[in-house]
Amino acid sequence: MKCLIGFTLLMLISISNAGKISREWNEKMDLNDILKNLIEQFKELMPCGFPDLGVPPLVPFELNHTAFDFEQKGLLHLDAEINDLLVDNLNVFDVVNIDLKLLQIQLDFSFYFEAIQTTGTYKAKGSAIGFIPFNRGGKFAFNFNGLTLDGSIKVAIDGEKISVTDFKLNPTVESVNSKFEGVFILPLNTFIFNKIVEAVVPNFLTDNKEQVASFLEDMIKPQVNDLLDDYTLQDLIDFIGNAISPGQARIC
């Protein structure tokens, strides 16, 4: 979540201040290339986070607790919570596409992550294959392989204030590695459970794009706008300008 908020802040500040960025970097450079350079420098700052904006270190990213529901009819239902989550490799990605549309004040983007690794502990209850109940907890490891994030951000500027009006994010993944320990008493049932998860997740993201995109927008956009409400546009521009300068990498 905080990682997505950090990306969103960088993108929308760049959109709103595109003209100034172009003049300060190189008037002959394409704005999309400038944004790509900004993102590359943002990667280097991810281990530092942006504490002034309430964004913690993003590599590795740590989260004490989160809860969620998941259901794929006939295969898997989960009512779960994740604790002591650690996510690594969030700064190892390729910028597949960046397209700044100045008239719409909108940025379309596509990022590709070769592998994102997660570990932590879980508590979960639900059923597998529609009839095998479980109510367990333990350690887990879960990797996303070939994760693509396609999306767009559209902003509105009102005087000295900026807000996100539309935020779309469509994740797809080539495969996942699931290793939840102790889901069932019998190790074979736990093995089957993990194989079901590995089969279900990529297809779920592909088959439920609108549902997933709507869920992410409802979750992320209000938090970003609440954060933006505490700052003027100039505050944000100055902050990013101090953190990321043309041709200069920062070390925290």
Side-chain angles (χ1 to χ4, degrees):
M1 167 66 74
K2 292 292 187 180
C3 180
L4 291 173
I5 290 175
F7 276 123
T8 304
L9 287 172
L10 175 64
M11 294 299 95
L12 63 88
I13 292 169
S14 300
I15 296 168
S16 63
N17 202 35
K20 183 172 182 290
I21 291 173
S22 179
R23 290 191 299 273
E24 291 185 354
W25 280 65
N26 185 333
E27 291 183 355
K28 295 182 181 179
M29 287 184 67
D30 181 85
L31 281 174
N32 293 333
D33 290 334
I34 292 172
L35 292 179
K36 289 180 182 179
N37 288 333
L38 285 171
I39 292 170
E40 291 301 321
Q41 293 194 46
F42 178 82
K43 289 182 186 180
E44 298 179 6
L45 290 175
M46 289 178 72
C48 311
F50 297 91
D52 291 346
L53 295 177
V55 179
L58 304 175
V59 180
F61 176 66
E62 300 180 33
L63 184 65
N64 292 329
H65 173 81
T66 188
F68 64 93
D69 294 321
F70 178 87
E71 182 172 5
Q72 185 79 340
K73 290 185 178 180
L75 284 177
L76 181 65
H77 173 256
L78 279 177
D79 182 4
E81 65 177 73
I82 299 295
N83 298 296
D84 303 320
L85 178 67
L86 185 69
V87 185
D88 208 358
N89 287 345
L90 288 173
N91 59 339
V92 183
F93 65 91
D94 296 324
V95 179
V96 178
N97 181 58
I98 287 288
D99 185 15
L100 178 60
K101 299 175 179 177
L102 286 176
L103 293 180
Q104 296 96 326
I105 321 184
Q106 176 177 316
L107 181 72
D108 298 334
F109 60 86
S110 179
F111 302 137
Y112 177 80
F113 299 78
E114 184 173 348
I116 292 179
Q117 302 171 347
T118 72
T119 59
T121 62
Y122 77 94
K123 293 181 181 179
K125 60 181 179 180
S127 61
I129 323 180
F131 63 89
I132 304 177
F134 56 87
N135 188 353
R136 305 281 286 179
K139 296 180 179 180
F140 78 89
F142 194 90
N143 297 341
F144 295 90
N145 307 310
L147 173 66
T148 298
L149 296 179
D150 295 323
S152 66
I153 303 171
K154 189 171 184 178
V155 305
I157 302 174
D158 183 9
E160 283 297 307
K161 290 293 185 178
I162 183 172
S163 62
V164 178
T165 57
D166 290 294
F167 179 84
K168 302 298 180 185
L169 188 64
N170 298 305
T172 57
V173 65
E174 296 171 8
S175 66
V176 299
N177 301 120
S178 176
K179 189 179 180 181
F180 286 84
E181 299 179 2
V183 181
F184 299 99
I185 295 176
L186 295 177
L188 178 60
N189 288 347
T190 296
F191 174 81
I192 294 173
F193 170 84
N194 281 304
K195 290 304 177 183
I196 291 173
V197 171
E198 291 177 355
V200 164
V201 172
N203 291 333
F204 179 84
L205 293 176
T206 300
D207 297 339
N208 298 273
K209 288 184 178 181
E210 291 186 6
Q211 177 184 346
V212 172
S214 178
F215 171 79
L216 291 172
E217 181 174 15
D218 291 344
M219 179 175 62
I220 295 172
K221 190 171 76 172
Q223 294 195 40
V224 172
N225 283 332
D226 285 345
L227 179 61
L228 292 174
D229 195 50
D230 293 332
Y231 301 92
T232 67
L233 178 57
Q234 190 60 51
D235 290 336
L236 296 170
I237 292 170
D238 291 343
F239 177 80
I240 293 296
N242 292 332
I244 302 177
S245 300
Q248 179 181 356
R250 299 297 180 90
I251 299 176
C252 56

